């Protein structure tokens, strides 16, 4: 195809184009698209498959929160589908590109769906008549579906498509039975490919990954032995929407397995396959699958065979320890071999080594292969078409200091195409790439935007309540325990309920459309949805009401998943009765609710960034380059943070030149106001309108008005009390060792022997998390020392080497340089003493080698401790000032670990860098850009909308006692001393209800939660 062979051309003339193309519709592409659209850009989301969602749409749950993957994705799907500034192009591939950053012409090939997208209403009639059955790729081919199908229940777009390779008519001009059954005449076998030429200013590549194919390695027996499955197949087996409806069954006989083994590193860390990198996610998704499988069957015997457990992410170590502590669970450090299939039972025999000496063979009912993440020929072809450099594995080449930029200006990268990573990192890099694109195109922001128009809001005053109740199956998440039909029949008998029905997935785009149409058709003026958590789904259904012409607050949600089916799965009758009671309470309340209005507030377009390290400066510079004024506050007298102590990265990049260049750019940017030697002493306000007081070095104070805040306050190094640290100059931390190497300290560089001890202050009772960076630090310094002094004996004593993703190659390089790695158990930590040898005093380290089971003595000239990374000392003070939480380890707690990893629950406040969790420089930079992107979604708006559920004061009752003013955590209430009346700033109020609970006169009431509404729910709960 050429640029002349086109059907549609979209052109914008003059300056840079205010549109961005996102290639890939997985979680990374979705996040980038939403950030850009909410920041003022037109987005073209190009997805090769028939629906968005990527591999995450196939997952059962996420860890460590155990959220249902589709339940946290589906609100994103609907938000994407409803956004008029995002055009979704499915079944589409990028074929070529011309132009330069700011003005690209991209050629896109769109395959036919053979369904008219404008006509199809997803009624499903055609499916009933289609005679052709084919394997279902969404369920990893473990079941079948028809040749005409929707990819999965919550798919966006919610449209059918026909598989041309399997359709009898398209292959042999026979059949065509589906066409006359379609009442809207949507089936169109004459559809042809389209070629679209689209002009955009930037491109973000998020094409995702493919799983490693174990059929390419015969030793695994995959494809020839039925009870050996891949991890993604097992995900579908666990899923309520999967081929077995959430029951774990063996493929061979559909029996429940009682003994399951997971084998790690299938297609990862493998020199034979060529995938020598670590796939970064396998250890933890196996642990998640183990926990979920144990929830299905507590008596299950579960074994994970592993090389290193790489639980390096936030909350991962606790999750891993939780799994290890479960009865019937074994983690066996071994690389086992599948030997045979047992005749008759079709069990799988696995041989492995016990205690480093004995060989044991053991039978398992089911074996799960933890397959790695791979690039594909298609992804490599895409990179070639766009002239983007890739590495030897097919992942996109990036630099440590520009982690979301490709080799071609104006084209950015996010997600696994950058290298294997977990969901939070994919989301962070997506927002980071969006920030980079927004920085490039800031002058064109808003030039192509459309404003969504709603129907006039219906005036329901004077109407009797007409309540509609919609009860969700949630696949079998709810319906597998709760009798949904009984709940629907119960709801129909409740006062003022004029309509009640069930729905398989209430959060799917077609269900939301159906609810909206039912509201209009039945004249509903109140709605109750009995489904899952309102924390993620309430905004979805409120928007559905608004699209139907109802006020969004005429809505109530009954959480019958978390509160019923998930907690009472062993007692279905009780779960159903409780679901009925929750619906009765919801109906009782919704009958009394009234329309509420959100307050529109002016927005201050200035940002405050707290922390002058790499993360803070990166965020500040990105926002300033987009045209926003920024105040950068650093408590130290100089910018730079922890990076001032880091000289080089694992990959060999020089840190100090980059850091000095970054500082120069920040200080030279006229929109950035740098406040060094300063701290925040006071803060109040809300998103769009904060006021923070900066205390300067001279004790002076200054109020800064700003619309958003980014907290990037860094971290600190743990200083241990063991191994004579601080008492013997030969005992160093990794940061001190790095400085000694750079300073060419002869005691260090000329040493004959060095020992490094990992996990000092990490993964223990005081700090039960993995500090993530320590293993890479040790490898980095060990390689550097070997370059300086190849004869030096270096020993790394570790529990697991956590060189995840592409860092694995450096672990292998260190081993090839004769760095010796000795594994020890947490219960047998290395010990150190001062000893005499050859007439001199040396450090003697003793450790029990886990492989040999023997005590080893090592004499060392230098002992280096890989110490923990800690949260900053001032984090609690700032968390209280900005009303943001910290977790049990003292780091900032994000709004959602997977999908909102840089947002706080407090609107308008964001985080990045070490204060969020330990991370490497490139990860801090990516997250800093992500924080800037999330901040831009606020700053790009002309105004902000406040809460609808806020406090109000009955002035006829208020006595002005001031209790509410004292207790309000958001400083939203003030008492007029003259009038003796409390006044509420609705823009600041967050609707927490503290004032209403404490008010002695009852004057303070909570909109949406008035006392009569709460009383009605209590009364309903007490009905027999």
């Amino acid at each position: 195809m050429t640029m002349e062979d086109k059907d549609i051309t979209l052109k914008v003339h003059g300056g840079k184009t205010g549109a961005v193309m996102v290639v890939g519709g997985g979680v990374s592409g979705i996040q980038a698209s939403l950030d850009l659209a909410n920041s003022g850009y037109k987005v073209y989301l190009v997805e090769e498959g028939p629906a968005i969602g990527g591999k995450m749409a196939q997952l059962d749950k996420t860890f460590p929160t155990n959220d249902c993957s589709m339940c946290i994705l589906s609100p994103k799907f609907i938000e994407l589908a409803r956004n008029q500034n995002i055009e979704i192009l499915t079944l589409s591939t990028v074929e070529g590109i011309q132009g330069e950053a700011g003005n690209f012409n991209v050629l896109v090939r769109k395959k036919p769906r053979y369904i008219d997208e404008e006509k199809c209403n997803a009624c499903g009639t055609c499916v009933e008549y289609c005679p052709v059955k084919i394997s279902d790729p969404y369920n990893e081919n473990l079941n079948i579906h028809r040749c005409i199908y929707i990819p999965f229940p919550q798919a966006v777009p919610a449209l059918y498509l026909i598989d041309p390779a399997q359709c009898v008519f398209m292959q042999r001009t026979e059949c065509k039975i589906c066409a006359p059954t379609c009442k809207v005449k949507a089936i169109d076998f004459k559809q042809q490919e389209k070629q679209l030429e689209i002009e955009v200013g930037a491109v973000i590549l998020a094409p995702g990954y493919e799983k490693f194919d174990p059929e390419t390695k015969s030793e695994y027996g995959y494809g020839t032995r039925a009870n050996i499955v891949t991890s993604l197949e097992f995900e579908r087996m666990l899923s309520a929407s999967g081929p077995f409806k959430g029951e774990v069954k063996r493929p061979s006989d559909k029996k429940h397995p009682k003994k399951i083994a997971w084998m790690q590193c299938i297609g990862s860390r493998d020199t034979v396959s060529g995938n020598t990198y670590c796939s970064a996610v396998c250890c933890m998704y196996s642990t998640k699958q183990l926990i979920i499988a144990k929830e299905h069957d507590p008596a299950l015997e579960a074994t994970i065979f592993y090389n290193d457990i790489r639980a390096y992410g936030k909350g991962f170590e606790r999750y891993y320890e939780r799994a290890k502590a479960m009865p019937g669970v074994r983690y066996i450090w071994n690389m086992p071999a599948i030997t045979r299939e047992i005749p008759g039972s079709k069990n799988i025999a696995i041989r492995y080594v016990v205690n480093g000496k004995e060989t044991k063979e053991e039978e398992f009912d089911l074996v799960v292969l933890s397959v790695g993440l791979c690039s594909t020929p298609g992804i490599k072809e895409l990179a070639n078409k766009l002239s983007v450099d890739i590495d030897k594995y097919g992942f996109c080449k990036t630099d440590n200091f520009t982690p979301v930029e490709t080799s071609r200006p104006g084209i950015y990268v996010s997600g696994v195409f950058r290298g294997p990573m977990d969901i939070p990192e994919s989301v962070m890099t997506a927002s980071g790439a969006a920030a980079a694109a927004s920085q490039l195109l800031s002058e064109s922001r808003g030039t192509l935007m459309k404003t969504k128009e709603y129907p006039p809001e219906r005036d329901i005053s004077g109407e009797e309540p007409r309540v509609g109740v919609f009860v969700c199956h949630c696949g079998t998440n709810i319906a597998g325990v709760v009798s949904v039909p009984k709940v629907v029949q119960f709801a129909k008998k409740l006062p003022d309920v004029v309509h009640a029905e069930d729905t398989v997935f209430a959060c799917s785009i077609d269900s939301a459309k159906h609810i909206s149409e039912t509201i209009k058709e039945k004249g509903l003026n109140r709605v109750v949805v009995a489904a899952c958590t309102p924390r993620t789904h309430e905004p979805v259904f409120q928007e559905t009401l608004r699209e139907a012409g109802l006020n969004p607050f005429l809505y109530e949600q009954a959480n019958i998943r978390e509160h019923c089916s998930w907690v009472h799965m062993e007692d279905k009758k009780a779960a159903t009765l409780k679901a009925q009671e929750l619906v009765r309470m919801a109906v009782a309340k919704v009958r009394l609710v009234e329309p509420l209005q959100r307050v529109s507030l002016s927005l201050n377009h200035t940002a405050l960034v707290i922390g002058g390290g790499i993360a803070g400066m990166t965020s500040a510079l990105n926002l300033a380059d987009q045209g926003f004024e920024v105040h950068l506050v650093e408590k130290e007298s100089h910018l730079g943070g922890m990076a001032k102590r880091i000289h080089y990265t694992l990959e060999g990049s020089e840190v100090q030149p980059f850091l000095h260049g970054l500082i120069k750019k920040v200080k030279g940017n006229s929109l950035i106001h740098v406040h060094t030697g300063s701290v925040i002493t006071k803060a109040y306000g809300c998103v769009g309108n904060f006021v923070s007081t900066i205390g300067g070095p001279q004790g002076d104070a200054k109020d800064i008005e700003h619309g958003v805040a980014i907290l990037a306050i860094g971290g600190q190094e743990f200083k241990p009390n063991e191994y004579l640290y601080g008492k013997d100059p030969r005992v160093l931390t990794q940061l001190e060792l790095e400085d000694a190497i750079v300073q060419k300290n002869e005691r260090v560089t000329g040493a004959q022997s060095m020992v490094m001890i990992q996990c000092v202050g990490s993964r223990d009772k005081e700090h039960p998390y993995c500090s993530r960076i320590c293993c890479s630090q040790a490898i980095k310094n060990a390689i550097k020392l070997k370059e300086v002094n190849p004869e030096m004996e270096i020993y790394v004593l570790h529990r697991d080497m956590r060189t995840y993703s592409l860092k694995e190659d450096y672990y292998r390089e260190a081993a090839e340089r004769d760095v010796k790695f000795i594994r020890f158990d947490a219960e047998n930590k290395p010990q150190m003493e001062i000893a005499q040898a050859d007439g001199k005093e040396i450090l003697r380290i003793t450790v029990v080698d886990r492989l040999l089971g023997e005590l080893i003595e090592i004499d060392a000239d230098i002992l280096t401790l890989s110490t923990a990374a800690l949260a900053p000392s001032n984090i609690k003070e700032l968390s209280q000032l900005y009303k943001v939480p910290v977790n049990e380890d003292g780091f900032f707690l994000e709004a959602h670990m997977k999908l909102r990893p840089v947002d706080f629950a407090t609107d308008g406040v964001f985080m990045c860098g070490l204060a969020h969790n330990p991370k490497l420089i490139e990860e801090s930079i990516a997250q800093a850009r992500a924080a800037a992107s999330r901040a831009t979604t606020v700053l790009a708006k002309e105004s902000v909308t406040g809460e609808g559920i806020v406090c109000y004061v009955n002035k006829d009752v208020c006595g002005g006692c001031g209790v509410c003013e004292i207790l309000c955590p958001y400083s939203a209430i003030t008492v007029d001393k003259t009038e003796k009346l409390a006044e509420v700033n609705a823009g600041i109020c967050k609707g927490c209800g503290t004032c209403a609970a404490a008010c002695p006169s009852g004057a303070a009431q909570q909109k949406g939660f008035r006392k009569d509404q709460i009383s009605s729910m209590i009364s309903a709960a007490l009905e027999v």
Side-chain angles (χ1 to χ4, degrees):
M1 290 183 292
T2 65
M3 288 292 183
E4 287 73 30
D5 298 325
K6 57 185 181 292
D7 294 320
I8 299 174
T9 303
L10 301 168
K11 292 279 188 179
V12 176
H13 298 284
K16 294 178 180 177
T17 305
V20 180
M21 179 171 289
V22 177
V23 182
V27 63
S28 185
I30 290 169
Q31 184 64 49
S33 298
L34 288 171
D35 272 13
L36 287 163
N38 290 326
S39 298
Y41 301 96
K42 170 73 177 178
V43 178
Y44 297 94
L45 177 56
V46 178
E47 165 56 38
E48 186 175 9
I52 61 172
K55 290 291 190 293
M56 187 176 172
Q58 292 181 272
L59 303 185
D60 178 42
K61 293 181 181 178
T62 64
F63 64 88
T65 56
N66 270 23
D67 286 325
C68 171
S69 293
M70 280 308 306
C71 288
I72 61 177
L73 266 183
S74 58
K76 294 281 188 183
F77 286 176
I78 295 180
E79 184 182 357
L80 199 77
R82 285 171 167 169
N83 195 308
Q84 293 185 325
N85 294 299
I86 300 175
E87 185 172 337
I88 303 172
L89 300 172
T90 53
L91 295 172
S92 300
T93 55
V94 172
E95 296 299 313
I97 188 169
Q98 291 181 356
E100 59 185 17
N103 286 285
F104 288 117
N105 281 301
V106 185
L107 185 65
V108 175
R109 180 180 63 172
K110 183 172 174 58
K111 296 179 182 178
R113 189 177 284 265
Y114 304 106
I115 300 289
D116 190 319
E117 298 184 14
E118 299 298 322
K119 293 180 180 178
C120 180
N121 58 11
C123 68
T125 304
C126 55
V127 180
E128 298 175 12
Y129 290 88
C130 179
V132 181
K133 297 179 180 179
I134 62 176
S135 296
D136 179 4
Y138 175 68
N139 281 310
E140 289 295 293
N141 302 317
L142 292 171
N143 66 344
I144 57 174
H145 64 192
R146 303 289 177 168
C147 183
I148 186 168
Y149 65 99
I150 286 181
F152 52 91
Q154 297 103 318
V156 171
L159 299 170
Y160 281 87
L161 73 150
I162 297 172
D163 186 338
Q166 303 293 332
C167 176
V168 176
F169 174 76
M170 300 188 74
Q171 291 298 315
R172 301 196 299 268
T173 65
E174 300 173 6
C175 186
K176 209 176 181 180
I177 193 173
C178 56
T181 67
C182 180
K183 297 178 181 179
V184 295
K185 308 299 181 185
I187 296 174
D188 182 5
F189 288 106
K190 296 181 181 179
Q191 281 187 354
Q192 300 292 319
E193 284 188 355
K194 292 183 178 179
Q195 298 174 50
L196 315 177
E197 185 185 332
I198 303 176
E199 185 171 289
V200 297
V203 176
I204 294 176
L205 301 180
Y209 67 95
E210 289 297 331
K211 67 180 187 300
F212 176 77
D213 182 6
E215 278 194 274
T216 60
K217 302 197 72 175
S218 60
E219 62 264 35
Y220 296 127
Y222 178 76
T224 61
R225 295 163 181 170
N227 294 320
I228 299 176
V229 300
T230 68
S231 45
L232 198 51
E233 287 171 342
F234 194 69
E235 286 281 345
R236 299 313 305 150
M237 293 164 66
L238 290 169
S239 176
S241 63
F244 306 142
K245 305 302 180 185
E247 290 188 65
V248 181
K249 298 179 181 180
R250 299 199 323 164
S252 67
D253 52 18
K254 303 302 185 287
K255 291 182 179 179
H256 294 284
K258 298 299 181 183
K259 198 172 179 181
I260 303 178
W262 281 261
M263 290 176 59
Q264 301 305 104
C265 299
I266 307 300
S268 299
R269 306 180 69 182
D270 183 356
T271 55
V272 177
S273 71
N275 294 345
T276 57
Y277 56 85
C278 165
S279 285
V281 299
C282 318
C283 291
M284 293 312 299
Y285 73 53
S286 298
T287 297
K288 174 200 71 173
Q289 290 175 352
L290 180 153
I291 288 176
I292 298 171
K294 290 284 287 184
E295 290 174 353
H296 283 259
D297 181 5
L300 175 73
E301 294 181 43
T303 303
I304 290 183
F305 293 98
Y306 71 95
N307 189 348
D308 291 281
I309 289 294
R310 292 185 165 165
Y312 59 87
K314 192 172 186 179
F316 289 9
E317 183 71 17
R318 278 188 173 85
Y319 195 72
Y320 162 53
E321 291 293 336
R322 170 190 163 190
K324 279 205 306 182
M326 298 176 79
V329 170
R330 294 179 297 167
Y331 278 78
I332 298 177
W333 176 48
N334 216 279
M335 295 301 289
I338 293 173
T339 57
R340 58 198 173 99
E341 181 181 78
I342 309 300
S345 68
K346 293 191 179 297
N347 288 349
I348 305 299
I350 290 180
R351 182 181 295 133
Y352 59 98
V353 178
V354 182
N355 299 324
K357 300 173 183 177
E358 303 172 15
T359 300
K360 180 178 179 179
E361 186 173 86
E362 188 173 351
E363 283 186 37
F364 294 90
D365 300 333
L366 185 70
V367 172
V368 182
L369 303 179
S370 297
V371 292
L373 281 51
C374 301
S375 183
T376 65
I379 292 174
K380 295 172 185 176
E381 184 182 352
L382 171 66
N384 184 55
K385 290 175 181 176
L386 301 183
S387 299
V388 167
D389 292 343
I390 57 175
D391 64 18
K392 61 183 178 180
Y393 303 119
F395 298 115
C396 186
K397 281 187 178 180
T398 60
D399 184 81
N400 285 126
F401 307 132
T402 54
V404 296
E405 297 179 18
T406 71
S407 58
R408 183 168 182 175
I411 300 183
Y412 307 99
V413 61
S414 70
V416 180
F417 183 39
R418 185 177 170 268
M421 62 181 68
D422 189 25
I423 295 169
E425 281 72 34
S426 290
V427 173
M428 286 181 206
T429 56
S431 289
S438 186
Q439 184 176 354
L440 172 68
L441 305 177
S442 58
E443 66 189 55
S444 302
R445 178 183 287 118
T447 56
L448 299 176
M449 297 295 286
K450 296 179 182 177
T451 302
K452 185 172 182 177
E453 295 184 3
Y454 293 95
E457 189 174 302
R458 195 168 111 214
D459 183 3
I460 66 161
S461 59
E463 292 184 15
E464 291 296 318
R466 291 180 59 82
V467 181
V469 179
F470 300 86
V471 185
C472 182
H473 289 250
C474 196
T476 59
N477 272 307
I478 293 173
V481 178
V482 173
S483 175
V484 171
K486 286 185 178 180
V487 177
V488 171
Q489 291 305 312
F490 178 84
K492 287 180 177 179
K493 300 174 184 178
L494 296 174
D496 297 325
V497 173
V498 298
H499 178 80
E501 66 172 281
D502 65 319
T503 177
V504 178
F505 289 101
C507 61
S508 65
I509 191 69
D510 55 326
S511 290
K513 182 179 178 181
H514 171 71
I515 292 172
S516 183
E517 291 171 348
T518 304
I519 290 170
K520 298 173 185 176
E521 180 185 337
K522 303 286 185 178
L524 305 180
N525 55 24
R526 309 285 195 285
V527 172
V528 170
V529 174
C532 53
T533 171
R535 185 169 70 96
T536 54
H537 284 63
E538 186 176 68
V540 171
F541 297 119
Q542 286 184 328
E543 179 73 2
T544 299
L545 264 66
R546 187 64 194 89
E547 290 180 341
L550 279 185
N551 183 280
F553 293 97
L554 299 172
Y555 170 78
E556 187 68 21
Q557 189 161 336
N559 187 348
I560 64 171
R561 188 184 68 181
E562 279 84 341
H563 294 173
C564 299
S565 65
W566 280 6
V567 292
H568 303 298
M569 63 178 64
E570 302 302 324
D571 192 341
K572 296 183 178 182
K573 182 178 179 181
T576 299
L577 290 173
K578 186 176 180 181
Q580 291 173 337
E581 296 306 309
L582 289 175
V583 170
R584 183 185 359 227
M585 293 168 68
V587 169
K589 180 190 173 187
V590 84
R591 293 168 62 208
L592 300 177
V593 300
E594 297 171 346
L596 302 178
Q597 302 300 324
R598 292 187 173 97
V599 179
S600 181
L601 305 168
S602 60
L603 189 148
N604 187 306
H605 294 87
T606 299
L608 174 68
V609 178
I610 306 173
I614 281 181
M617 288 191 289
T618 299
S619 291
L621 197 59
N622 181 275
L623 289 170
D625 285 346
Q626 292 190 61
F628 300 113
E629 187 176 11
V630 182
H631 289 270
L632 178 62
V633 179
E634 167 55 46
K635 66 178 181 179
E636 303 295 338
S637 58
H638 296 91
L639 299 173
M642 286 284 286
K644 289 183 291 186
R645 302 183 62 191
I646 303 173
H647 299 274
Y648 44 85
T649 68
L650 178 60
E651 295 78 11
S653 300
E654 295 290 336
V655 174
Q656 292 309 304
F658 165 75
L659 180 63
H660 294 149
L662 186 61
I663 293 171
K664 184 177 180 180
K665 287 179 183 178
V666 166
K667 289 183 175 180
N669 194 304
S670 61
L671 288 176
I672 300 177
H673 309 284
V674 179
H675 307 269
T676 52
S678 301
V679 294
I680 304 298
T681 59
K682 188 165 59 174
Y684 64 92
C686 63
V687 57
N689 293 278
F690 291 104
V691 179
S692 297
T693 302
I694 300 176
Q698 306 301 323
D700 52 329
K702 181 179 181 180
D703 287 344
I704 302 294
E705 296 181 355
H706 54 102
V708 297
I710 295 176
L711 309 187
I713 56 176
Q716 56 182 328
E717 181 188 29
F718 174 68
K719 299 293 185 180
N721 294 318
E722 53 187 333
Y723 300 114
L724 294 180
Y725 176 77
K727 299 175 183 177
D728 191 311
R730 295 170 295 178
V731 182
L732 310 171
T733 67
Q734 288 289 355
L735 282 176
E736 292 166 348
L737 173 63
E738 183 173 335
D739 189 62
I741 295 171
V742 172
Q743 298 300 325
K744 299 181 180 179
N745 184 317
E746 182 60 28
R747 169 182 274 181
V748 171
T749 58
Q752 292 181 335
S753 176
M754 176 180 291
V755 171
M756 298 180 178
I757 301 178
Q758 302 303 105
C759 298
V760 178
S762 293
R763 304 177 68 189
D764 59 17
K765 290 183 179 179
E766 186 179 0
H767 306 118
Y769 56 88
C770 170
S771 287
R772 188 180 180 119
I773 61 177
C774 319
C775 289
S776 293
Q777 277 187 315
I779 296 293
K780 174 182 75 172
N781 286 333
I783 290 175
K784 187 66 72 172
L785 284 168
K786 280 290 188 177
E787 290 173 352
V788 174
N789 182 359
E791 302 303 316
M792 184 186 297
E793 291 287 338
I794 301 177
Y795 300 85
V796 179
L797 313 185
H798 67 98
R799 292 165 60 185
D800 299 283
M801 287 305 295
R802 293 183 170 177
T803 46
Y804 55 92
S805 193
L806 303 180
K807 299 163 188 61
E808 177 69 14
D809 283 349
Y810 297 94
Y811 177 22
R812 182 169 284 101
E813 179 186 343
E816 290 170 352
R817 288 176 179 268
D818 201 28
V819 175
K820 298 174 178 64
F821 295 89
I822 300 174
R823 188 184 300 265
F824 67 88
D825 287 318
E827 297 77 21
N828 289 309
K829 292 172 57 178
Q831 302 297 315
M832 190 198 78
E833 62 179 353
I834 303 296
Q836 295 291 327
D838 298 327
K840 66 176 183 178
E841 195 176 74
I842 52 91
L843 305 174
R844 178 162 293 163
I845 294 91
T846 57
V847 61
V848 177
D849 187 319
R850 185 175 175 183
L851 176 63
L852 302 176
E854 298 177 359
L855 186 69
I856 296 175
E857 286 187 355
I858 307 170
D859 291 346
D861 299 321
I862 300 292
L863 174 63
T864 302
L865 307 178
S866 296
T867 57
L870 305 181
S873 58
N874 61 334
I875 195 166
K876 288 186 178 179
E877 179 184 348
L878 275 175
S879 74
Q880 293 169 354
L881 285 173
Y882 289 98
K883 310 298 185 297
V884 295
V886 296
N887 68 4
E888 60 267 56
D889 297 319
F891 295 98
F892 283 133
L893 181 62
E894 58 276 85
H896 192 283
M897 185 172 289
K898 296 293 185 181
L899 296 187
R900 296 181 66 193
V902 299
D903 297 46
F904 284 107
T906 302
D907 292 338
V909 187
F910 308 94
M911 75 188 86
C912 60
L914 292 176
H916 166 257
N917 206 52
K919 52 179 60 70
L920 297 164
I921 285 177
E922 66 264 31
E923 295 167 336
S924 287
I925 292 172
Q927 192 183 23
R929 284 181 174 267
S933 177
R934 301 296 300 144
T936 302
T937 64
V938 176
L939 297 176
K941 295 178 172 61
E942 292 301 318
S943 61
V944 291
T945 304
E947 301 285 341
I949 298 175
V950 295
C951 170
Y952 71 97
V953 175
N954 185 339
K955 295 183 178 180
D956 295 333
V957 180
C958 179
C961 68
V963 171
C964 56
E965 182 180 23
I966 294 170
L967 293 178
C968 179
Y970 299 99
S971 303
I973 302 179
T974 55
V975 174
D976 187 314
K977 304 300 182 183
T978 304
E979 298 292 332
K980 293 186 177 181
L981 289 173
E983 296 179 352
V984 180
N985 184 331
I988 299 176
C989 179
K990 293 297 178 184
C992 69
T994 302
C995 55
C999 180
S1001 66
Q1005 289 283 302
Q1006 190 80 352
K1007 291 181 180 180
F1009 289 90
R1010 296 193 316 263
K1011 288 185 177 179
D1012 61 325
Q1013 294 167 345
I1014 300 298
S1015 297
S1016 71
M1017 296 180 76
I1018 295 171
S1019 298
L1022 295 175
E1023 287 186 33
V1024 178

